[in-house]
Amino acid sequence: MNIELGKMNHLRVVKHVDFGVYLDGGEEAGEILLPSRYVPENCQPDDELDVFLYLDQEERLIATTLTPKAQVGDFAYLKVAWVNQFGAFLDWGLMKDLFVPFREQKMRMQQDKSYIVYVHIDEDSYRIVASAKIDRYLQTPAPDTYQNNDEVDLLIVQKTDLGFKAIVDNQYMGLIYDSEVFRPLHTGDKVKGYIKQVREDGKIDLVLQTGNSAEQVADFSEQLLNYLKENNGHSDLNDKSDAQLIYQTFGVSKKIFKKGVGDLYKRHLITLENGLTLTHKA
């Protein structure tokens, strides 16, 4: 049996004790304590539980049924719970906070502020720790298996002069250019995005909405038509309106908005004077 420190494991209950239950960690780990506060009701020997394994205050292997905000191998946006002379401690959803040594901080972390970090196991101490020096843990270059318009998971890292840096699928760094941002984004946001292109240098350009799907445009065209019918046949928005205002109103990018407007206009269902206005045909 291979157990994984800092990750969820599926383990069998061996026996009950006054202070919890012991789980079978195999020959290498032996029996692992799951304290009483985490033991499910009516738990019996031979039941199998999904537990997270970490080290307690005495550096002993221990289990919990709580799911932390991040596991080993994850990038995450976590808040500093407290700081001492050795480093910072992050709230990651467990009783024991996650340690960030000073050497793993880009700048001195401050209590109650949040930072993007990478969770890993320190090779020297075998403790679960975090690092704010995330670049060393990103994979480069991006694989050529990504295709344009592939859907990906994004973690927003920071605003730059060009746009927003984002971690792609918990592995690669990508960029959403300002021209592609049509809704508010903040560090730590987890959003869906799409591959715009993987460049020859392996860097990834991203978009938040493809706008290339005929089905997307058709769906929005009907949404826009219904909106106009429900709002006295008019909207002040047009193709020169602010992208964030369009998103706040319709939940779509400016690109899809313009295509939907073009679709209704070609079908002679709207006019474009002073905004959008339904025709008698609609």
Side-chain angles (χ1 to χ4, degrees):
M1 174 187 296
N2 291 322
I3 64 164
E4 293 187 281
L5 177 64
K7 294 189 177 184
M8 298 299 295
N9 292 255
H10 192 70
L11 301 180
R12 181 176 61 87
V13 176
V14 176
K15 62 186 177 185
H16 274 277
V17 291
D18 291 341
F19 42 86
V21 301
Y22 278 103
L23 307 171
D24 181 10
E27 291 185 9
E28 184 176 347
E31 294 180 348
I32 302 169
L33 177 65
L34 176 66
S36 297
R37 68 173 68 90
Y38 305 123
V39 177
E41 189 176 354
N42 300 321
C43 179
Q44 300 296 326
D46 290 329
D47 285 354
E48 295 186 349
L49 303 176
D50 289 318
V51 295
F52 181 79
L53 299 182
Y54 65 113
L55 302 177
D56 66 11
Q57 300 293 350
E58 281 74 44
E59 306 300 327
R60 297 172 302 190
L61 195 61
I62 196 166
T64 176
T65 50
L66 297 176
T67 301
K69 298 174 183 176
Q71 301 185 43
V72 166
D74 287 345
F75 294 92
Y77 187 58
L78 300 176
K79 180 184 285 189
V80 175
W82 54 292
V83 178
N84 68 9
Q85 67 270 30
F86 302 109
F89 295 82
L90 309 178
D91 174 11
W92 64 327
L94 302 181
M95 288 188 63
K96 183 183 178 184
D97 295 320
L98 180 62
F99 181 49
V100 188
F102 284 128
R103 68 177 183 275
E104 295 295 337
Q105 300 176 25
K106 287 184 175 180
M107 59 188 73
R108 287 297 174 98
M109 290 182 168
Q110 300 179 40
Q111 186 172 338
D112 295 328
K113 289 194 174 183
S114 297
Y115 302 85
I116 300 286
V117 296
Y118 179 77
V119 184
H120 65 105
I121 296 176
D122 181 74
E123 293 181 357
D124 296 326
S125 66
Y126 195 61
R127 289 193 297 176
I128 304 170
V129 296
S131 173
K133 298 179 179 180
I134 62 172
D135 289 347
R136 68 175 67 160
Y137 300 103
L138 290 163
Q139 297 185 35
T140 56
D144 55 13
T145 52
Y146 278 134
Q147 301 295 318
N148 293 354
N149 299 324
D150 279 354
E151 184 178 88
V152 290
D153 293 315
L154 303 179
L155 173 64
I156 303 302
V157 173
Q158 68 180 106
K159 179 75 171 71
T160 71
D161 292 339
L162 296 175
F164 286 87
K165 294 173 70 175
I167 295 173
V168 182
D169 287 340
N170 199 49
Q171 296 181 83
Y172 313 100
M173 186 65 77
L175 180 68
I176 311 167
Y177 286 94
D178 272 332
S179 59
E180 300 287 354
V181 177
F182 57 86
R183 68 184 202 188
L185 292 175
H186 306 92
T187 298
D189 285 352
K190 291 184 176 181
V191 299
K192 293 291 185 182
Y194 299 88
I195 301 294
K196 183 176 183 180
Q197 66 170 340
V198 177
R199 291 191 258 160
E200 290 183 1
D201 59 5
K203 294 181 179 178
I204 303 175
D205 293 339
L206 301 161
V207 291
L208 296 175
Q209 207 164 27
T210 63
N212 294 328
S213 166
E215 184 177 351
Q216 278 183 304
V217 174
D219 287 345
F220 175 66
S221 294
E222 291 307 308
Q223 177 188 343
L224 178 56
L225 192 60
N226 291 331
Y227 175 89
L228 293 172
K229 289 177 178 178
E230 293 168 1
N231 288 272
N232 300 316
H234 183 76
S235 171
D236 290 331
L237 296 176
N238 56 42
D239 60 2
K240 294 182 175 57
S241 297
D242 180 75
Q244 292 198 14
L245 182 58
I246 290 171
Y247 179 77
Q248 290 169 5
T249 306
F250 297 110
V252 299
S253 67
K254 189 169 183 176
K255 185 181 296 184
I256 287 183
F257 174 81
K258 292 172 70 173
K259 289 188 176 183
V261 168
D263 176 58
L264 296 185
Y265 181 75
K266 289 176 184 176
R267 291 156 59 190
H268 306 291
L269 298 178
I270 60 172
T271 61
L272 305 181
E273 296 177 9
N274 301 316
L276 311 177
T277 304
L278 289 176
T279 65
H280 293 300
K281 181 179 179 181

